């Protein structure tokens, strides 16, 4: 039973991690909390539903379509709502982000109605048994796909040129620009990757929970943000760890009968961790410049 | 200086409050004589409900049922030599308008009785007004608590969860052999919390063991932890007291984890969304409600009502609200006939005496507290993506 619940938690945590990566990467480079990120995840889920119902596509095609669409949306949001405000106070782009998030929520409510929409059946309900733990096909797909996506991200950031540029920009934005890195391109790329991962998370969650709604991004966005801070905002492995940690904690909390406090668990954890490790689990210690 | 100012303000407020109280008292006096008792050509019954807004789906069929009842009575020669007239108002699903409409029906239209509101919330707003003006109010849809407690002029003719939950529990024990169940409650939904309480008591009374209790919340999408927890206990059935959206999603998770169990629940699950969210997973789910149009199992009176409703409404089957709206008017008419008077003070007592009264939505008896006992309970089953009548459970 504990093993089974751990598996439920890890599956949920993997989707949190996918979304948390977007928060952490954007924050790492431009120190902006992109509060519209949860809504990108929501739009991704709806694109997935659209692909399956209207275009009769399978999982792979809907996943790719959702990721591509959200890449475009993510990059456009950055261009329209954040870039013009980059040199203004820290608060301005934050407010702008909240505005974008409300805009996307209401737009989707207008288009699709406020009721949740069922996600059509794309994966059969097969169950595999390992010892006393049962794992469903959907869970395997979520775990495998999110691991692959995260491994891909790791590869890009570590070994590809644009990834190196991302790291350089997150180290010191101005110096990186002086060294000839096209910072605007790096930022656009960051938004594109982050949004694509969120979209993948949206489609996977849609399949896992069978339901997609215009407001689904709100709590999940907040929790993924929590996961990012918990792991140490700006740190990519931290976001993955934070996501998994949160998913497991939440599931065990519900299993232990604390369903009413389900959403509070994430935030309590966040407070506790930040009290003892202000930079998060894997965050870099703050260096003071002399 | 400061103290002085405070005193001034306080005395001013005191004077003002006296004035307001005075006004209130006077208003009461002027409306005292306005309570309904019709001397005109017709006996007026008011419709309190929504023709627009969120609750229109409850209001419109209620009104349709009421109109059919009035027509039937008038065709048969009327009541005490007068015709029945239904006064329609529309509160547009707004609570504040509900109070206004009630006032208007009583003081301006001088109705002798009001049928409505189909929702508990607005009935609770209207009930004190009707009670104060001594006009009979009969709700044809309010199922929540705190309705008839408003006074002896307040009635309702709908199936109460307090009656249905024990009957359904007995049914699943005797006919389906359930011995252990899991109870699922949506903690941020009053209806669900209340219904779970009723089910728990009924389960204990019937010797069915509650092997697992899990809570969810309206708006949740992830039920994997709860389902894993109940799966371990291997229950014969699931008692789900929430609404259809979560019900459908919950059952989907149940099937995903390989459980074959079906669920049983109240009319909170009665909606097409259940099948939309649950798909094949909700096949076999059982839902109870106060009325379902089923021509095969209906009595003579009900059959006639279903036919008449269908011809008047392009072939749509009547729902619970239409049937209960029809019965509400008939109940009031019978009470007026028995009292030989359309003065609410007089026929109210007759209405309260209603016992084993056969209507189109079932057999109704008013208990001492004017709460109805209704028989039968319709137990519906999802079959082929549709609600079908599985059983009609008699209540004694």
């Amino acid at each position: 039973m504990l093993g089974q619940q751990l598996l439920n938690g890890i599956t949920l945590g993997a989707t949190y991690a996918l979304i948390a990566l977007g928060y952490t990467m954007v924050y790492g480079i431009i120190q902006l909390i992109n509060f519209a990120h949860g809504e990108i995840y929501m739009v991704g889920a709806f694109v997935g539903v659209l692909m399956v119902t209207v275009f009769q596509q399978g999982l792979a095609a809907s996943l790719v379509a959702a990721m591509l669409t959200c890449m475009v949306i993510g990059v456009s949001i950055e261009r329209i709502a954040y870039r013009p405000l980059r040199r203004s106070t820290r608060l301005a782009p934050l407010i702008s982000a909240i505005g974008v998030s409300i805009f996307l929520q209401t737009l989707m409510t207008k288009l699709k109605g406020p009721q949740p929409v069922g996600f059509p059946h794309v994966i059969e309900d097969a169950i595999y048994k390992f010892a006393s733990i049962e794992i469903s096909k959907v869970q395997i797909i979520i775990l495998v796909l999110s691991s692959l996506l995260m491994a891909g991200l790791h590869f890009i950031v570590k070994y590809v040129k644009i990834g190196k540029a991302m790291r350089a920009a997150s180290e010191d934005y101005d110096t990186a620009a002086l060294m000839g890195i096209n910072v605007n391109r790096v930022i656009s790329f960051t938004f594109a990757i982050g949004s694509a991962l969120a979209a993948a998370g949206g489609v996977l969650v849609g399949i896992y929970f069978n339901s997609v709604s215009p407001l689904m991004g709100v709590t999940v966005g907040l929790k993924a943000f929590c996961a990012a801070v918990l792991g140490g905002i700006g740190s990519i492995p931290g976001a993955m760890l934070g996501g998994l940690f949160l998913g497991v904690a939440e599931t065990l909390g519900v299993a232990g009968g604390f369903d009413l406090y389900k959403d509070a668990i994430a935030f309590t954890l966040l407070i506790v961790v930040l009290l003892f490790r202000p930079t998060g689990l894997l965050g870099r210690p703050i260096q003071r410049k002399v | 200086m400061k103290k002085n100012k405070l005193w001034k303000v306080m005395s001013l407020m005191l004077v003002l409050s006296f004035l307001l109280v005075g006004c209130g008292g006077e208003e009461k006096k002027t409306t005292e004589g306005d309570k309904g008792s019709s001397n005109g050509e017709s006996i007026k019954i008011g419709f309190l409900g929504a023709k627009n807004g969120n609750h229109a789906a409850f209001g419109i069929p209620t009104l349709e049922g009421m109109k059919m009842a009035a027509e039937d009575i008038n065709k048969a020669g009327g009541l005490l030599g007068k015709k029945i007239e239904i006064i329609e108002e529309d509160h547009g699903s707004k609570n504040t308008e509900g109070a206004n409409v009630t006032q208007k029906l009583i003081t301006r239209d001088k109705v002798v009785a009001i049928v409505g509101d189909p929702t508990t919330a607005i009935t609770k707003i209207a009930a004190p007004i009707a009670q104060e003006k001594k006009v009979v109010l009969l709700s044809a849809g309010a199922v929540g608590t705190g309705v008839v407690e408003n006074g002896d002029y307040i009635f309702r003719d709908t199936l109460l969860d307090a009656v249905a939950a024990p009957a359904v529990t007995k049914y699943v024990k005797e006919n389906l052999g359930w011995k252990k169940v899991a109870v699922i409650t949506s903690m941020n939904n009053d209806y669900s919390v209340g219904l779970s309480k009723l089910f728990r008591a009924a389960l204990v009374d019937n010797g069915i063991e509650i092997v697992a209790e899990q809570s969810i919340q309206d708006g949740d999408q992830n039920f994997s932890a709860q389902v894993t927890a109940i799966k371990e206990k291997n229950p014969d059935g699931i008692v789900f007291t929430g609404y259809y959206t979560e019900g459908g999603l919950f059952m989907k998770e149940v099937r995903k984890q390989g459980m074959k169990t079906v669920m049983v629940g109240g009319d909170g699950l009665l909606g097409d969304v259940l099948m939309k969210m649950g798909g094949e997973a909700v096949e076999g789910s059982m839902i109870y409600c106060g009325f379902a149009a089923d021509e095969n199992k209906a009595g003579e009176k009900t059959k006639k009502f279903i036919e008449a409703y269908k011809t008047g409404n392009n072939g749509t089957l009547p729902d619970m609200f239409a049937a209960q709206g029809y019965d509400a008017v008939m109940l009031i008419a019978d009470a007026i006939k028995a009292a030989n008077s359309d003065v609410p003070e007089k026929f109210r007592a007759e209405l309260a005496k209603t016992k084993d009264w056969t209507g189109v939505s079932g057999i109704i008896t008013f208990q001492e507290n004017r709460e109805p006992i209704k028989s039968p309970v319709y137990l519906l089953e999802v079959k082929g993506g549709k609600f079908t009548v599985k059983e009609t459970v008699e209540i004694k």
Side-chain angles (χ1 to χ4, degrees):
Chain A
M1 162 100 163
L2 183 69
Q4 192 69 49
Q5 294 288 22
L6 273 177
L7 178 68
N8 291 338
I10 291 170
T11 319
L12 180 68
T15 60
Y16 285 165
L18 279 181
I19 308 159
L21 286 168
Y23 279 107
T24 233
M25 288 194 298
V26 168
Y27 183 85
I29 294 178
I30 50 174
Q31 267 85 55
L32 162 73
I33 310 243
N34 178 14
F35 271 120
H37 197 59
E39 274 57 49
I40 293 179
Y41 149 87
M42 176 270 291
V43 173
F46 270 106
V47 174
V49 173
L50 189 78
M51 285 303 285
V52 177
T53 51
V54 179
F55 298 105
Q56 307 286 328
Q57 296 295 318
L59 171 65
S62 358
L63 205 60
V64 172
M67 288 171 80
L68 289 177
T69 315
C70 287
M71 271 186 181
V72 175
I73 294 174
V75 172
S76 326
I77 290 175
E78 195 269 327
R79 280 302 280 268
I80 297 163
Y82 304 149
R83 191 172 294 181
L85 298 172
R86 203 176 291 156
R87 291 290 167 195
S88 47
T89 62
R90 287 279 289 279
L91 272 180
L94 187 74
I95 307 277
S96 176
I98 294 171
V100 171
S101 117
I102 293 172
F103 170 75
L104 287 175
Q105 280 165 27
T106 34
L107 180 73
M108 220 23 130
T109 313
K110 182 114 183 77
L111 289 177
K112 283 286 181 182
Q115 290 285 334
V117 181
F119 204 101
H121 215 71
V122 283
I123 299 168
E124 51 180 316
D125 293 335
I127 294 174
Y128 308 95
K129 219 171 160 141
F130 296 102
S132 66
I133 293 179
E134 289 175 348
I135 184 163
S136 66
K137 199 169 173 186
V138 184
Q139 281 176 316
I140 295 177
I141 288 174
I142 290 178
L143 290 174
V144 169
L145 273 179
S146 41
S147 311
L148 280 179
L149 287 170
M150 286 189 242
L153 175 69
H154 181 76
F155 179 78
I156 290 175
V157 171
K158 263 263 140 65
Y159 303 108
V160 178
K161 204 170 166 195
I162 187 94
K164 287 180 186 164
M166 277 167 73
R167 278 190 289 151
S170 83
E171 202 69 41
D172 192 328
Y173 181 90
D174 291 315
T175 318
L178 285 176
M179 292 297 173
I181 292 175
N182 184 343
V183 183
N184 278 337
R185 238 186 75 210
V186 171
I187 292 171
S188 291
F189 183 76
T190 310
F191 269 88
I193 287 201
S195 306
L197 291 177
V203 175
L204 293 178
V205 165
I207 291 169
Y208 191 34
F209 302 150
N210 301 301
S211 142
V212 169
S213 79
L215 294 181
M216 69 191 279
V218 181
T219 30
V220 174
L222 269 180
K223 278 188 204 155
F225 165 67
C226 242
V229 178
L230 199 64
I233 193 143
S235 152
I236 288 176
M240 296 183 204
L241 182 74
L244 288 179
F245 192 59
L246 216 67
V248 171
E250 188 182 313
T251 308
L252 290 185
V254 173
F258 296 102
D259 177 77
L260 270 182
Y261 305 101
K262 186 185 66 189
D263 296 336
I265 290 170
F267 300 104
T268 314
L269 264 177
L270 181 68
I271 293 168
V272 171
V273 169
L274 290 187
L275 276 178
F276 294 100
R277 276 192 66 92
T279 51
L281 293 174
L282 299 184
R284 282 174 293 185
I286 303 159
Q287 279 171 355
R288 280 172 198 273
K289 286 173 189 157
V290 188
Chain B
M1 182 64 191
K2 232 181 186 175
K3 216 173 183 181
N4 209 352
K5 214 172 180 180
L6 189 73
W7 268 113
K8 267 186 194 161
V9 171
M10 275 182 68
S11 48
L12 189 71
M13 276 169 71
L14 206 68
V15 171
L16 268 175
S17 63
F18 273 127
L19 276 175
L20 281 174
V21 171
C23 285
E26 231 157 289
E27 195 188 13
K28 229 184 215 167
K29 253 179 230 160
T30 52
T31 51
E32 191 88 334
D34 282 351
K35 72 192 160 207
S37 73
S38 65
N39 305 313
E41 299 295 291
S42 58
I43 298 175
K44 289 174 176 166
I45 297 180
F47 159 74
L48 171 65
K51 291 197 270 186
N52 287 295
N54 286 336
H55 311 153
F58 311 145
I60 292 168
T62 308
L63 181 60
E64 186 59 34
M66 288 173 66
K67 279 187 186 156
M68 281 173 65
E71 209 172 288
D72 285 357
I73 295 167
N74 292 340
K75 248 191 242 158
L79 199 57
L80 309 180
K82 299 175 193 170
K83 285 214 174 307
I84 288 224
E85 193 184 339
I86 306 287
I87 311 286
E88 301 172 26
E89 286 282 349
D90 178 18
H91 61 55
S93 311
K94 291 188 205 88
N95 288 5
T96 44
E97 277 301 300
N100 287 341
V101 167
T102 314
Q103 288 280 10
K104 234 188 269 170
L105 285 172
I106 296 172
T107 50
R108 193 191 63 195
D109 300 317
K110 307 214 182 335
V111 298
V112 298
I114 295 173
V115 174
D117 185 275
T119 69
T120 306
I122 296 184
T123 306
K124 276 160 109 169
I125 292 169
I129 305 172
Q131 178 67 27
E132 194 200 314
K133 305 274 170 67
K134 296 203 163 54
V135 169
V136 167
L137 180 100
L138 202 167
S139 168
V143 293
T145 51
V147 172
V148 294
E149 286 85 337
N150 280 293
D152 56 357
Y153 281 78
I154 317 300
F155 297 81
R156 49 180 166 178
D157 72 348
T158 184
L159 174 70
L160 301 181
D161 292 333
V163 174
V168 169
T169 308
K170 200 162 164 242
Y171 176 83
V172 297
K173 188 200 176 180
E174 288 173 1
N175 299 59
L176 306 177
W178 288 12
K179 289 192 189 67
K180 39 187 192 165
V181 296
V183 178
I184 316 295
T185 312
S186 178
M187 296 308 284
N188 58 353
N189 177 339
D190 267 354
Y191 161 77
S192 176
V193 173
L195 185 55
S196 282
K197 216 189 247 167
L198 292 170
F199 261 116
R200 247 175 252 134
L203 288 164
V204 171
D205 285 347
N206 281 285
I208 300 180
E209 196 191 346
I210 302 172
V211 289
E213 279 234 41
Q214 287 291 320
S215 52
I216 60 163
Q217 288 184 56
D218 280 8
D220 274 0
Q221 298 184 318
N222 175 17
F223 302 115
S224 56
Q226 288 95 337
V227 172
T228 300
I230 63 169
K231 186 184 176 185
E232 207 202 16
K233 302 281 167 49
N234 197 23
D236 298 323
I238 296 171
V239 175
F240 186 95
T241 59
Y243 286 155
Y244 36 67
T245 310
E246 288 73 28
L249 290 175
F250 193 90
M251 284 313 288
K252 206 143 199 190
E253 181 67 34
V254 165
R255 292 286 173 273
K256 210 184 287 159
Q257 297 203 14
M259 286 174 77
K260 299 266 186 290
T261 331
V262 296
M263 71 171 166
V264 65
D267 50 16
L269 289 171
L270 191 60
D272 288 339
V273 180
L274 180 75
M275 281 74 107
K276 236 189 254 163
M277 303 311 289
E280 273 174 33
V282 293
E283 282 290 306
S285 292
M286 289 170 285
I287 288 117
Y288 70 70
C289 63
F291 174 79
D294 178 26
E295 278 143 291
N296 303 321
K297 285 179 181 160
E300 209 40 54
K301 210 170 168 182
T302 313
K303 232 182 248 174
K304 248 170 78 191
F305 168 73
I306 295 174
E307 278 314 310
Y309 190 92
K310 268 167 74 179
T311 37
N313 290 283
N314 299 325
T316 349
L317 287 171
D319 64 4
M320 175 178 112
F321 295 101
Q324 287 170 177
Y326 183 93
D327 278 353
V329 172
M330 285 297 187
L331 270 166
I332 291 167
D334 280 0
I336 290 175
K337 214 185 285 166
N340 200 24
S341 159
D342 61 0
V343 178
E345 273 104 328
K346 292 188 178 143
F347 73 80
R348 185 213 74 79
E350 291 299 326
L351 187 59
K353 279 187 217 154
T354 302
K355 198 168 179 269
D356 295 331
W357 183 90
T358 310
V360 296
S361 69
I363 298 168
I364 296 168
T365 297
F366 282 124
Q367 293 169 276
E368 217 153 280
N369 59 359
R370 300 167 312 287
E371 292 279 42
I373 293 180
K374 242 185 120 176
S375 178
V377 174
Y378 287 81
L379 191 61
L380 310 183
E381 185 181 22
V382 181
K383 233 184 200 172
K386 271 200 198 112
F387 291 110
T388 55
V389 177
K390 181 185 175 74
E391 197 67 58
T392 47
V393 184
E394 304 291 333
I395 311 264
K396 277 159 212 123

